[in-house]
Amino acid sequence: MRLLMVEDEQRLAQVVAAGLAAEGYAVDLAHDGPTGLSMARSGDYDAVILDIMLPGMNGYQVCAALREAGVETPILMLTAKDGEYDEAEGLDTGADDYLTKPFSFVVLQARIRAMLRRGRSARPSVWRFGDLAVDPATRTCRRGDKALDLTSKEFSVLEYLASRAGEVVSKSEILEHVWDFAYDGDVNIVEVYISNLRRKIDAPYGKAAITTVRGAGYRLAADGG
Ligand code: CA
């Protein structure tokens, strides 16, 4: 298990890192917000321990930026005891758990273990097609780092294509799965949504994730185009 600890109190960070290393974790340290963010975004960590008061960017901002970038690594926030910072706010920005300073090393270890266990099972799966990520749980979509602004219906069309990535999907199949039973309009409405999706997920990135299969329908490329 590889951990990242983002903590500007260097002595505390080193003591904790040494303790975790002794327990068999690989631990990297960052001492300011921007460095922590950039390391955490590498995506190679199983969990991040994130202090709130940090130079450059605070822990809330780092946490929110990571979630915004689609990084789902479990995050344990270290909160100040004085209550100046709100635990609820930490959880709202996407932290998985929090621990109030000063903490005992045994409790820290237990929290990390629990978080790693939960992290395996509870996280929603995100479909990835190259750098195109589609998250059915949050109904969000991104190209690399960029969050894409889709309407609910556009997302539903993309989600259906994504659920069958690599296959040819007909307009009527899309219509059946995305529009409700009450819709009795033209099947060509699907073309409008496909065109919007291409304008949002493909064109700005020089990609062609959604291809037209003449006379048959559309296909979402498994590699994201
Ligand atoms: Ca601090």
Side-chain angles (χ1 to χ4, degrees), residues 7-9 51 53-54 101:
E7 167 61 80
D8 60 317
E9 290 165 59
D51 188 31
M53 289 290 279
L54 290 167
K101 284 182 179 178

